[in-house]
Amino acid sequence: MKCRGFRYCRVLTVEEAVESFVSCEGEARFLAGGQSLLPALNLRLSAPDLLIDISRVEGLRGITLEGSDLRIGALTRHVEVLHSPLVAEYAPLLARAARFVAHPAIRNLGTFGGSLALADPASEFPACVLALNAQIEIAGLSGRRRVAADDYFLGLYETALEPGEILTAVYIPAGRTWQRVCFDELSRRRGDYALAGLAAQATFRDGGEVLTALRLVFCALGSKPMRAQAAEAALLNTKVDAVAIEAAQHALSQDLSPDEAEDLSSAARLHLARVLLGRVAHALREGAC
Amino acid sequence: MSNASDIPFAKTTKYIGAALPRATAKRFLFGRGRYTDDIEVPRMLSAAFLRCPYAHARILAIDTTNARKFPGVHSILTGVDLARICRPWVGTLTHFAGMKSAPQLPLAMEKAVWSGHPIAIVIAETRAQAEDALEAIQVEFVELPAVVDALDGLNEHSALINEAAGDNLIYATQIEAGTIAQAFEDAEIVEADFIFGRHTAVTMEPRSILANFDPSTGRLDVHQSTQTPYQFQDVYARHFNLSEANVRVVAPDVGGSFGMKLHVYHEDMAVVGASIISGRPVKFTADRMESFASDIHARDHRVRARLAVSSEGILRGFDVDDVTGVGPFSTYPRTSVVEGNQVVRLIGAAYRVTDYRAALRVVAQNKNQMSQYRAVGHPVAFAVTEYLVDLAARKVGLDPFEIRRRNYLTQDMYPHTTATGYQIERLSLEICLEKLHEVMDYAAIVAEQERLRRTGVYRGIGIATYVEITNPSPAFYGVGGGHVSAQDGCILKVTQSGEIQCMISVTEQGQGTEAIIAQIVAEAVGTDIATVRVFTGDTDMTPAGGAAWACRGAGVGGETALQAGKKLKKRIVEVAGAILHCPAHHLTLVDGRIVDAQQHTRMTLRELAHLSYFRSDLLPAGRPAELTVAHHHGPSGFPFAFTNGIHGSLVEVDVETGIVKILKHWVVEDCGTVINPLLVEEQIRGGVVQGLGAALFEECRYSASGQLLNGSMADYLVPMACEMPDIEVYHVETPTRDTELGAKGCGEAGTAASSAAALNAVNNALSVFGASITQIPMTPERILRAIGAVG
Ligand SMILES: Cc1cc2nc3c(=O)[nH]c(=O)nc-3n(C[C@H](O)[C@H](O)[C@H](O)COP(=O)(O)OP(=O)(O)OC[C@H]3O[C@@H](n4cnc5c(N)ncnc54)[C@H](O)[C@@H]3O)c2cc1C
């Protein structure tokens, strides 16, 4: 298929982008890496009148340390996240997850902000951002605001972004209080969206034996990145031994109730989430992530 | 044995059997491939199709008024417009007695019978404009109940797809040999119900056609991504009432075909019709979604099978029922019953079994058409056979290798006729079996498997035998009235500088046909391969022939080239003899040099060509220097050249997730004379990957209402490099004596039993849980259910 005709403009500032969006008669869309938007256009699933290319907007690219936060600009490519020494040091969870995101050709173009703006429930970065307790910076007509990841992901492809707003950056607490992170996923083919994915951040005390803080966020198991608080509770203040892991796996049915997917029943999806939880919890305990 | 000349063909090893890289690969690496979609001609229009969104629907009205006004639109045609100029086609053959199938026209008329059935064609300046206009066509449908599951289609209350037929049964047949009831008496019996999902070819280059009709001459020029240009020359001439000599079909570079591109598709017929009606060149290239919805699908079988075995592990008889769903009608011109027919005839073919019963029912469904795809019927037949043989081995306490040893056909039994009537010249089953045992290092991998099992790692080892139909004679289609050639033709000409041009009717879709033909011609003529150019895929330029289907390029095309080469060599030597005043039988041609009995070079082929073309005045009077020869060859002797081989598969099953990792795959194959081991091995490997795709990943999934659920590359999983194991290939050579070359086919051998080997390997891994799986693809969910991890 060929996409429907559209107008195109390239903007160089956030203000210009927002301005172009609100003054557009008809439907406008921002274009970042194009790795999700262009396939949608070519399938005629989406047919905006205007594409506003933000890929060269100043200041939206790059990874920096700002005070106690690691700032990742929205236009940072997946490949940059994968290889950044700053990410490896202050947000290693993202570096681990990045290698599960698509294939090299897509990672070379796809953007971190685009992934979060789209909020595909199967995507790795949204789950990580939620596990990392990050802040998401949004720019619109009325200026910039920050939204906690907990309040950002609202539903299926639905976020706190209002029409015409741009996701400009993500701020990740870089205090290094989290001692262990783990990202793992199950997929039938390498590079595919996962059957089940799990991002985890954990702190252990008592010589690294007892788990004292934990955020577990699943991808591909609901309409958005899914925090698993019942499972977290079952593991907190334990030594993450076999009994605790089993309790957490059991508790997972309170956190997740996946729909039947195309070739997986809801029972199988929950089963896979439990298996993954078991593997990730084990890895956290062993520090082998 | 056909003998084109009295010069015996010495099977030297210079080119035949040599591991030469293929010359054409370089062109692709340089980005110089030229596919149908790359071809642009003046005044060309692009086509797009409006397709039925329902699996089964009555069409009450089509309104194209608004759509016609869209920018760039030249015209919009519907079923009635094309029915005026196109004779309907019916996908039946007379040797399948009693089969019935509805006549087809390029576009749906009063009824659409699958979701994707083309209803209207828009031709416009660009494809994007044509697609814009599609959205403005209005169709009034009445959705009808759909037949989705083949078994449901047999139900007497089922909806009817072809009302005139009275039921949905396209074809049924029974085979009975020996005394089946007796075979099952006092025997151990193993049985299973199998489900084989639908999958499809997913060629890198999708289907594409550019039709260019010239109303002033009645000339039709078609460029088409096909493997069988001569067949389409015939089809277009007959169905559009054109002079066949005035129809040219060219297959430029073709990016994979696998049987998918030899069937008649509604879109292709509509594009040809649209060019005839508009007088403009019209191009259509299927996009990926259209490919999934309209390229033929493959398999779709439910098989219930039983095997009787004695307590000593001697196989006694097979009892098989196959129901296969083939879509709304039988495909033209080769039918959709060949696949099922081969399933019920190939089961057990490698074994000494004389008691046999099988029943086949071919059923219509409101799904995309199902027809011949690489290894037609073989993967199903061998998955059933080899699964049951393994089960029998377990039942009587034998190792999988041992039970095969005890039951294979052996060297003293040839020629052999199978219980289902196939005549087999000679196979090398036992040799391949022992070779596989050795190269797998069977004892070592079994020991490793046991060791790992104690650590919670579940590996499985599976083997699967195949017997493959190659070098087909007209027994396949011709005898049933099909306009499908089983012979091939070749023209060889010496150029003015003494190089060789070869125009041959076998075709190239990336498998290296042109490379092996060049090797054979160079060998047979006695010249340097660098001076041989092979041309294929143009009905104006080459003789007519079967082209590419059912593994025949090497066996049939190769023999054609060999005999043509010998003819040319004889001719060259005669001319040389006349020039040199020397008896021709004292001369021969070696590496492009005419040498005498003392091995002295008397002249070069270049000098001979120079004299023949530019100084014919110097040649003896009455001695025409005809440096062009033609030769045709069709299989004779055995109706098919059966090949054989065996696959081995080593897998690791993650019993928590149901995900299977394939660790290694081995194939020992016997395709007779190996012309180029590199190409045979690549054929095998590519085929193995397709079979492993079928075993683990590929499935066209339909909803209960007949909607294809996963018609995109994101949702339809093809195996990727990361998931594929190392594939080791070994050769055993048992040449056919029906030809001088001795080559049989190898193109389907990789696909024929790789899925069966993987199935057996996974089941071997699952056996410790007392679990088994008899459905492919073996998805995580299905494996988890088999183990009982998910209820
Ligand atoms: C074959 C394939 C496999 C893939 N596999 C994976 C995978 O395994 N995991 C995964 O996570 N992703 C995967 N992706 C998606 C990929 O990661 C995309 O790059 C990403 O989802 C979107 O980023 P983008 O920059 O390409 O956004 P675009 O495609 O340009 O835009 C996507 C959407 O977000 C909006 N948008 C983009 N940037 C902003 C912004 N800064 N502010 C506001 N709105 C914005 C756009 O308007 C559009 O609606 C895959 C893609 C492909 C083609």
Side-chain angles (χ1 to χ4, degrees):
Chain A
M1 278 172 98
K2 307 287 176 204
C3 61
R4 238 188 261 160
F6 54 81
R7 284 179 295 119
Y8 168 90
C9 70
R10 178 186 289 152
V11 294
L12 296 177
T13 65
V14 171
E15 293 67 33
E16 219 185 317
V18 174
E19 180 53 37
S20 304
F21 193 100
V22 293
S23 63
C24 171
E25 287 171 23
E27 192 192 337
R29 291 291 280 274
F30 296 122
L31 173 68
Q35 297 305 291
S36 294
L37 185 53
L38 296 187
L41 294 188
N42 282 334
L43 293 168
R44 295 198 176 210
L45 293 172
S46 170
D49 303 283
L50 174 67
L51 283 192
I52 304 164
D53 184 346
I54 59 169
S55 63
R56 298 196 191 173
V57 169
E58 287 151 35
L60 293 195
R61 194 145 179 197
I63 301 168
T64 48
L65 205 55
E66 288 191 5
S68 60
D69 287 332
L70 183 72
R71 178 186 185 275
I72 303 182
L75 290 175
T76 306
R77 315 266 184 206
H78 301 337
V79 64
E80 293 165 328
V81 174
L82 181 64
H83 296 304
S84 156
L86 284 175
V87 170
E89 173 105 22
Y90 296 102
L93 182 63
L94 287 175
R96 297 213 173 122
R99 61 194 176 90
F100 289 99
V101 179
H103 307 273
I106 292 150
R107 294 202 290 261
N108 288 342
L109 287 170
T111 67
F112 191 66
S115 178
L116 298 176
L118 183 66
D120 187 316
S123 278
E124 290 80 2
F125 288 147
C128 293
V129 162
L130 189 52
L132 291 167
N133 209 5
Q135 297 271 320
I136 288 146
E137 185 188 71
I138 295 172
L141 267 186
S142 49
R144 297 196 182 206
R145 63 195 171 105
R146 283 197 193 184
V147 179
D150 280 322
D151 303 321
Y152 174 81
F153 298 103
L154 303 179
L156 189 62
Y157 298 106
E158 205 191 324
T159 67
L161 281 171
E162 298 288 341
E165 286 190 321
I166 287 196
L167 191 158
T168 44
V170 175
Y171 291 83
I172 297 159
R176 286 201 275 177
T177 51
W178 301 92
Q179 293 169 349
R180 291 176 198 167
V181 294
C182 185
F183 187 93
D184 199 2
E185 68 177 42
L186 302 173
S187 68
R188 290 172 69 185
R189 298 184 309 179
R190 195 162 162 168
D192 279 354
Y193 281 109
L195 303 173
L198 176 55
Q201 284 257 50
T203 308
F204 285 78
R205 66 165 160 73
D206 290 350
E209 289 222 325
V210 178
L211 181 75
T212 53
L214 176 67
R215 281 173 82 96
L216 294 172
V217 184
F218 281 91
C219 57
L221 279 152
S223 59
K224 56 180 187 173
M226 302 294 282
R227 177 112 187 253
Q229 278 168 311
E232 288 170 9
L235 290 169
L236 273 177
N237 302 314
T238 72
K239 292 187 171 179
V240 195
D241 51 18
V243 176
I245 292 176
E246 211 184 305
Q249 286 173 317
H250 186 74
L252 208 52
S253 59
Q254 295 166 48
D255 296 316
L256 303 173
S257 51
D259 293 337
E260 187 173 318
E262 277 176 7
D263 60 349
L264 273 184
S265 63
S266 47
R269 293 180 76 191
L270 187 60
H271 169 84
L272 292 179
R274 286 184 164 135
V275 169
L276 190 59
L277 174 60
R279 290 179 184 183
V280 167
H282 191 267
L284 286 174
R285 181 184 74 208
E286 301 301 313
C289 344
Chain B
M1 198 183 285
S2 41
N3 261 320
S5 79
D6 43 14
I7 303 173
F9 159 64
K11 198 183 143 192
T12 68
T13 52
K14 173 132 197 198
Y15 294 125
I16 293 180
L20 297 176
R22 56 189 158 120
T24 49
K26 198 166 167 188
R27 207 159 49 75
F28 297 110
L29 292 174
F30 271 63
R32 293 293 169 143
R34 184 167 169 272
Y35 299 88
T36 299
D37 197 48
D38 293 324
I39 298 166
E40 303 270 329
V41 296
R43 303 178 66 245
M44 188 177 86
L45 297 169
S46 279
F49 289 91
L50 182 73
R51 296 169 185 279
C52 182
Y54 304 106
H56 198 190
R58 198 159 293 290
I59 301 167
L60 297 184
I62 306 174
D63 183 356
T64 59
T65 328
N66 287 336
R68 279 173 206 276
K69 295 179 198 143
F70 270 61
V73 172
H74 174 281
S75 54
I76 300 177
L77 303 173
T78 62
V80 280
D81 301 317
L82 288 161
R84 278 190 207 110
I85 60 160
C86 179
R87 220 160 51 75
W89 61 92
V90 181
T92 57
L93 289 170
T94 55
H95 63 311
F96 298 117
M99 81 168 292
K100 45 191 198 260
S101 177
Q104 297 298 304
L105 281 165
L107 298 170
M109 302 289 284
E110 58 278 355
K111 218 169 89 152
V113 290
W114 87 94
S115 171
H117 195 164
I119 291 174
I121 177 174
V122 178
I123 52 175
E125 295 297 331
T126 68
R127 168 84 185 223
Q129 288 173 325
E131 287 183 19
D132 287 344
L134 283 185
E135 295 180 0
I137 301 177
Q138 279 166 352
V139 186
E140 224 178 296
F141 292 105
V142 179
E143 195 179 352
L144 299 171
V147 180
V148 180
D149 187 287
L151 288 172
D152 292 344
L154 292 174
N155 194 314
E156 66 174 308
H157 302 296
S158 166
L160 286 184
I161 298 170
N162 174 12
E163 281 91 357
D167 60 23
N168 293 316
L169 188 64
I170 285 179
Y171 177 66
T173 191
Q174 301 250 6
I175 302 168
E176 189 123 26
T179 48
I180 192 73
Q182 227 170 303
F184 279 79
E185 244 169 59
D186 304 323
E188 303 281 356
I189 294 170
V190 290
E191 57 193 319
D193 284 323
F194 300 86
I195 301 179
F196 296 90
R198 276 185 168 225
H199 51 91
T200 186
V202 199
T203 52
M204 293 234 271
E205 183 215 11
R207 282 194 290 122
S208 184
I209 182 169
L210 165 57
N212 190 355
F213 181 71
D214 177 350
S216 70
T217 57
R219 167 88 168 163
L220 175 70
D221 239 297
V222 176
H223 284 76
Q224 183 175 351
S225 180
T226 177
Q227 57 194 93
T228 51
Y230 317 94
Q231 176 194 292
F232 284 102
Q233 179 188 22
D234 165 75
V235 165
Y236 298 143
R238 278 191 297 119
H239 289 276
F240 291 99
N241 199 24
L242 303 169
S243 146
E244 193 191 5
N246 226 359
V247 175
R248 178 192 188 196
V249 179
V250 180
D253 286 328
V254 174
S257 192
F258 313 112
M260 186 274 283
K261 291 177 181 167
L262 53 62
H263 306 291
V264 168
Y265 291 95
H266 295 72
E267 294 87 352
D268 299 343
M269 298 297 268
V271 165
V272 169
S275 178
I276 292 174
I277 290 172
S278 65
R280 298 272 298 260
V282 180
K283 184 197 275 180
F284 167 72
T285 299
D287 64 35
R288 249 335 138 186
M289 300 210 301
E290 291 180 297
S291 297
F292 281 111
S294 67
D295 290 358
I296 54 109
H297 291 176
R299 321 305 178 216
D300 199 346
H301 294 259
R302 292 189 186 214
V303 182
R304 163 165 289 189
R306 302 193 302 150
L307 167 63
V309 58
S310 76
S311 52
E312 293 79 44
I314 301 304
L315 308 186
R316 287 186 166 177
F318 284 91
D319 185 2
V320 181
D321 264 294
D322 180 14
V323 175
T324 173
V326 299
F329 48 85
S330 167
T331 301
Y332 186 67
R334 293 169 193 247
T335 83
S336 300
V337 311
V338 174
E339 159 103 356
N341 194 50
Q342 288 188 184
V343 170
V344 295
R345 284 175 200 279
L346 282 168
I347 285 174
Y351 299 99
R352 290 192 298 264
V353 170
T354 48
D355 296 323
Y356 191 91
R357 191 203 73 89
L360 166 70
R361 283 171 294 170
V362 178
V363 186
Q365 306 155 295
N366 293 112
K367 289 183 180 175
N368 185 24
Q369 59 181 327
M370 193 290 293
S371 200
Q372 285 84 317
Y373 163 73
R374 195 174 199 172
V376 188
H378 293 65
V380 176
F382 302 127
V384 169
T385 308
E386 297 296 286
Y387 176 88
L388 290 178
V389 168
D390 269 14
L391 208 56
R394 222 169 298 147
K395 186 123 188 180
V396 301
L398 288 180
D399 178 84
F401 278 89
E402 183 55 28
I403 194 166
R404 287 168 174 84
R405 252 174 228 133
R406 290 189 190 182
N407 290 282
Y408 270 166
L409 302 174
T410 47
Q411 292 306 311
D412 52 342
M413 294 176 70
Y414 301 108
H416 169 79
T417 302
T418 67
T420 65
Y422 281 136
Q423 295 167 48
I424 297 181
E425 182 188 1
R426 180 167 295 276
L427 304 176
S428 57
L429 294 160
E430 340 73 300
I431 304 162
C432 292
L433 184 76
E434 297 314 329
K435 179 84 186 166
L436 180 70
H437 195 272
E438 171 201 324
V439 299
M440 282 178 97
D441 203 353
Y442 187 66
I445 59 175
V446 169
E448 173 80 347
Q449 175 189 36
E450 271 155 26
R451 190 185 65 75
L452 287 170
R453 210 174 259 163
R454 291 192 290 275
T455 69
V457 173
Y458 296 92
R459 287 199 172 169
I461 303 160
I463 62 174
T465 317
Y466 68 86
V467 171
E468 194 210 325
I469 301 174
T470 78
N471 295 5
S473 71
F476 241 121
Y477 301 112
V479 296
H483 287 210
V484 173
S485 176
Q487 63 81 56
D488 278 292
C490 174
I491 294 170
L492 292 179
K493 72 183 195 206
V494 179
T495 68
Q496 300 163 109
S497 65
E499 297 186 341
I500 310 286
Q501 288 183 318
C502 168
M503 278 68 67
I504 190 160
S505 58
V506 285
T507 51
E508 168 79 52
Q509 294 81 40
Q511 70 276 62
T513 308
E514 291 174 356
I516 59 160
I517 296 298
Q519 287 177 255
I520 294 166
V521 168
E523 184 94 54
V525 173
T527 195
D528 182 350
I529 194 167
T531 67
V532 178
R533 289 278 166 278
V534 179
F535 302 86
T536 63
D538 182 342
T539 60
D540 265 9
M541 188 159 79
T542 75
W549 56 274
C551 285
R552 54 194 307 292
V556 183
E559 181 70 8
T560 313
L562 173 65
Q563 298 305 335
K566 286 175 61 182
K567 248 188 205 174
L568 182 62
K569 178 180 202 166
K570 183 168 182 243
R571 186 68 54 76
I572 290 167
V573 168
E574 278 167 10
V575 173
I579 296 171
L580 298 168
H581 302 290
C582 166
H585 65 269
H586 287 167
L587 299 173
T588 188
L589 194 55
V590 178
D591 281 338
R593 292 172 292 111
I594 286 90
V595 299
D596 59 21
Q598 287 73 45
Q599 300 300 310
H600 292 139
T601 299
R602 302 291 299 274
M603 67 190 305
T604 63
L605 184 51
R606 187 186 184 94
E607 287 160 348
L608 181 140
H610 185 92
L611 283 170
S612 301
Y613 288 118
F614 305 135
R615 296 305 309 270
S616 47
D617 57 316
L618 299 180
L619 293 186
R623 202 17 112 189
E626 280 169 11
L627 293 179
T628 301
V629 301
H631 185 81
H632 285 254
H633 164 79
S636 55
F638 288 88
F640 309 108
F642 281 93
T643 70
N644 67 278
I646 185 162
H647 290 241
S649 171
L650 176 65
V651 303
E652 196 167 293
V653 181
D654 182 333
V655 296
E656 286 185 330
T657 64
I659 293 173
V660 177
K661 186 165 180 210
I662 310 168
L663 301 173
K664 185 114 184 198
H665 198 95
W666 298 262
V667 182
V668 182
E669 68 82 36
D670 183 349
C671 62
T673 304
V674 172
I675 299 159
N676 183 334
L678 294 179
L679 291 173
V680 172
E681 285 160 27
E682 288 322 293
Q683 280 299 295
I684 300 292
R685 289 198 182 97
V688 166
V689 169
Q690 280 175 319
L692 295 178
L696 293 168
F697 299 105
E698 298 186 50
E699 185 170 29
C700 303
R701 287 183 285 110
Y702 279 86
S703 74
S705 63
Q707 295 296 330
L708 182 61
L709 294 171
N710 59 337
S712 82
M713 294 298 282
D715 301 313
Y716 179 98
L717 306 187
V718 294
M720 311 264 267
C722 290
E723 284 69 48
M724 289 297 103
D726 278 349
I727 301 166
E728 286 183 11
V729 184
Y730 300 87
H731 310 282
V732 171
E733 289 184 71
T734 307
T736 171
R737 296 199 178 145
D738 274 351
T739 64
E740 193 174 342
L741 183 62
K744 309 176 190 174
C746 71
E748 300 175 285
T751 313
S754 46
S755 51
L759 178 75
N760 279 350
V762 169
N763 276 301
N764 178 245
L766 298 188
S767 62
V768 283
F769 299 94
S772 66
I773 181 164
T774 51
Q775 177 171 14
I776 63 169
M778 298 176 276
T779 62
E781 170 110 28
R782 288 171 189 155
I783 288 178
L784 290 175
R785 284 185 188 277
I787 303 172
V790 171

